[in-house]
C-alpha cells in the first residue's frame, strides 16, 4: 500500500518504463544508483545491463520484497536519500536515475550537484511544473532562480510527459523526465546562487531596482553604467537574463565590493 508521507506513486506502465531506460542512455556495464525503486519495476530493467546497481529505498516495508526479487548485481540500501552522501556511495562514477518524490525534488537536486564529480549524468522524473522551471529559457514565465541555479551547473535535456494514469495510485499532477549532464569545470558558486535568488526577489521590478536594494552602498548611476557596459538595457527584468549574463553581472558587482569572489566560469 503506497504511503502518503513518502509521496509514493509507483510507475506501473511497462511502455513508460522502457522509455525511461531509453531516455537515460545508461551504457552497458555502467554503475547505477536509483532513488526510490518502490516496487522495483524500473530497477529490474536497469539491472539487465548495469554492472552494479544500488537502489536507495526509504520505506522499510518495501525493502525485504525488493531484496528477494532482485538479481545479484543489485544492492538495496534502506536509507533516506536526503541523508545520503552521494560522493562516497560508489568507488567509481555512476549514473543516477530516479522517480523523485515531488516534495523533496529540489533538495535532492542540490545534493546531486554537490556530488557531480562522482555522478556522470542524472535522469529523473519530477512534477511537470518543477521540470518546466528547471528547463525554462530566459524570458519565459517559468524562468527563475531554480532555472539559473540548475543550468549554471548542468545542461538540461527535457524529456517526455508522463500522465497520472501511468502511476499507482495516480498523482494529481503530470510528471516529466529530465536528463542533466554537468557543464565542464564549473566551480562551486554558492554566493552566485544567493545573488540570483535576491535578483529575482521581486520579478515585477526592473533588475536595476532589485540590484539597488541588494547593493545599498552602490550608486544607481554606477549600477546603470554597469548594466550598459555588459550590453544590458537598464530597464531589463531579471527573467530576461541568461545564465551567463547573470554570471557576468555578478562578477562585475563583486569587482566593486570587498570579499571573496566566485572564480570566473569557463566558457
Amino acid at each position: 500500500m503506497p504511503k502518503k508521507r513518502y509521496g509514493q506513486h509507483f510507475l506501473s506502465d511497462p511502455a513508460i518504463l522502457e522509455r525511461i531506460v531509453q531516455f537515460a542512455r545508461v551504457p552497458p556495464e555502467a554503475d547505477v544508483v536509483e532513488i526510490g525503486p518502490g516496487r522495483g519495476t524500473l530497477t529490474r530493467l536497469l539491472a539487465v545491463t548495469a554492472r552494479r546497481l544500488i537502489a536507495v529505498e526509504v520505506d522499510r516495508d518495501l525493502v525485504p520484497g525488493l531484496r528477494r526479487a532482485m538479481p545479484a548485481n543489485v544492492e538495496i540500501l534502506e536509507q533516506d536519500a536526503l541523508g545520503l552522501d552521494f560522493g562516497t556511495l560508489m568507488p567509481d562514477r555512476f549514473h543516477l536515475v530516479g522517480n523523485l518524490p515531488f516534495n523533496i525534488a529540489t533538495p535532492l537536486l542540490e545534493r546531486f550537484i554537490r556530488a557531480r564529480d562522482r555522478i556522470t549524468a542524472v535522469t529523473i522524473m519530477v512534477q511537470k511544473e518543477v521540470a518546466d522551471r528547471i528547463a525554462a529559457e530566459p524570458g519565459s514565465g517559468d524562468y527563475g532562480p531554480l532555472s539559473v541555479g540548475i543550468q549554471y551547473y548542468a545542461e538540461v535535456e527535457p524529456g517526455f510527459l508522463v500522465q497520472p494514469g501511468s502511476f499507482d495510485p495516480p498523482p494529481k499532477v503530470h510528471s516529466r523526465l529530465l536528463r542533466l549532464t554537468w557543464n565542464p569545470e564549473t566551480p562551486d558558486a554558492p554566493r552566485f546562487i544567493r545573488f540570483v535568488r535576491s535578483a529575482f526577489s521581486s520579478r515585477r521590478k526592473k533588475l536595476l531596482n532589485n540590484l539597488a536594494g541588494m547593493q545599498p552602498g552602490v550608486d544607481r548611476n554606477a549600477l546603470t553604467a554597469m548594466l550598459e557596459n555588459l550590453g544590458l538595457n537598464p530597464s531589463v527584468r531579471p527573467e530576461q537574463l541568461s545564465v551567463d549574463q547573470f554570471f557576468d553581472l555578478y562578477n562585475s558587482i563583486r569587482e566593486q565590493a570587498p570579499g571573496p569572489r566566485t572564480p570566473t566560469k569557463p566558457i
Side-chain angles (χ1 to χ4, degrees):
M1 181 71 179
K3 296 177 181 177
K4 188 174 182 179
R5 71 177 182 273
Y6 293 139
Q8 290 175 331
H9 299 278
F10 302 127
L11 272 169
S12 56
D13 187 329
I16 293 296
L17 291 164
E18 290 284 357
R19 289 184 67 188
I20 293 173
V21 173
Q22 294 171 6
F23 181 71
R25 302 195 294 279
V26 177
E29 293 300 305
D31 291 337
V32 179
V33 171
E34 182 190 7
I35 305 299
R39 294 170 180 165
T41 50
L42 180 60
T43 316
R44 282 186 283 271
L45 292 178
L46 292 169
V48 171
T49 59
R51 179 176 64 175
R52 181 187 179 200
L53 193 156
I54 296 178
V56 182
E57 178 54 60
V58 68
D59 188 347
R60 64 177 61 184
D61 293 335
L62 293 174
V63 169
L66 285 168
R67 287 176 174 159
R68 288 192 301 268
M70 292 300 148
N73 63 332
V74 176
E75 174 188 351
I76 305 300
L77 183 61
E78 183 185 333
Q79 190 167 338
D80 185 348
L82 284 176
L84 198 60
D85 183 355
F86 289 94
T88 60
L89 195 56
M90 282 194 175
D92 299 316
R93 288 172 62 83
F94 58 88
H95 288 254
L96 193 145
V97 181
N99 175 18
L100 302 189
F102 298 153
N103 56 336
I104 60 170
T106 299
L108 278 176
L109 282 165
E110 292 173 354
R111 286 184 171 272
F112 302 160
I113 287 171
R114 289 200 293 270
R116 64 190 183 280
D117 62 327
R118 308 298 297 165
I119 302 173
T120 302
V122 175
T123 302
I124 51 173
M125 184 184 299
V126 294
Q127 184 175 338
K128 177 184 179 297
E129 286 73 16
V130 175
D132 290 347
R133 286 163 55 202
I134 291 172
E137 296 182 356
S140 70
D142 291 321
Y143 188 73
L146 184 61
S147 319
V148 178
I150 299 297
Q151 292 175 31
Y152 167 76
Y153 289 106
E155 185 76 22
V156 180
E157 179 184 350
F160 57 90
L161 194 67
V162 182
Q163 304 291 334
S166 296
F167 297 87
D168 177 28
K172 295 180 180 179
V173 298
H174 290 72
S175 303
R176 185 180 293 281
L177 266 291
L178 289 177
R179 191 173 189 272
L180 310 181
T181 51
W182 309 117
N183 295 323
E185 301 180 29
T186 300
D188 287 320
R191 291 183 179 86
F192 169 63
I193 301 303
R194 289 196 293 271
F195 167 79
V196 171
R197 289 171 180 164
S198 297
F200 274 97
S201 59
S202 181
R203 293 178 65 97
R204 295 184 179 181
K205 287 186 178 180
K206 297 176 183 178
L207 178 61
L208 177 62
N209 294 333
N210 287 346
L211 292 175
M214 295 160 56
Q215 307 289 327
V218 180
D219 182 74
R220 286 179 65 92
N221 290 332
L223 289 173
T224 299
M226 183 185 302
L227 291 173
E228 290 175 340
N229 287 339
L230 293 172
L232 298 172
N233 190 314
S235 298
V236 71
R237 299 187 186 277
E239 65 269 21
Q240 296 174 289
L241 267 66
S242 69
V243 176
D244 287 340
Q245 287 173 323
F246 261 117
F247 202 82
D248 290 343
L249 176 61
Y250 170 78
N251 278 330
S252 294
I253 289 176
R254 294 306 298 172
E255 287 174 357
Q256 300 186 22
R261 294 174 54 197
T262 297
T264 302
K265 181 182 178 183
I267 297 177

